Amino acid sequence: MQAAQWQHLVCYFVRDAAQWRGVTIDQLAQETRMGRDQFWRLMRGDGPMRLEDFAAMKRALGKR
């Protein structure tokens, strides 16, 4: 339950950060190199987010 809540919060952060950067979610998905479908699957919560996925999102948003 806590992992799902954490993933939900991460998705809100990613959405807000993309908006602040002035990029679309699709553009951000391209920057992660995980592919649009995989990115949207994680954003919808259709599967668990791995640490590698979170790290890819952070890198795409310019967070180190």
Side-chain angles (χ1 to χ4, degrees):
M1 179 77 161
Q2 286 182 336
Q5 290 173 335
W6 181 75
Q7 183 171 341
H8 184 74
L9 291 175
V10 168
C11 291
Y12 271 106
F13 170 77
V14 167
R15 185 198 64 194
D16 291 346
Q19 186 178 20
W20 184 79
R21 278 188 56 206
V23 297
T24 67
I25 297 295
D26 285 335
Q27 289 170 324
L28 187 61
Q30 288 176 338
E31 291 180 35
T32 64
R33 297 185 185 128
M34 72 175 71
R36 182 182 183 277
D37 292 337
Q38 172 70 7
F39 190 87
W40 276 106
R41 186 179 69 78
L42 294 174
M43 291 294 287
R44 285 191 311 267
D46 289 343
M49 186 180 292
R50 300 174 316 188
L51 184 58
E52 295 85 7
D53 300 325
F54 177 67
M57 290 178 183
K58 281 183 64 173
R59 278 192 305 275
L61 291 167
K63 303 286 183 190
R64 304 283 185 239

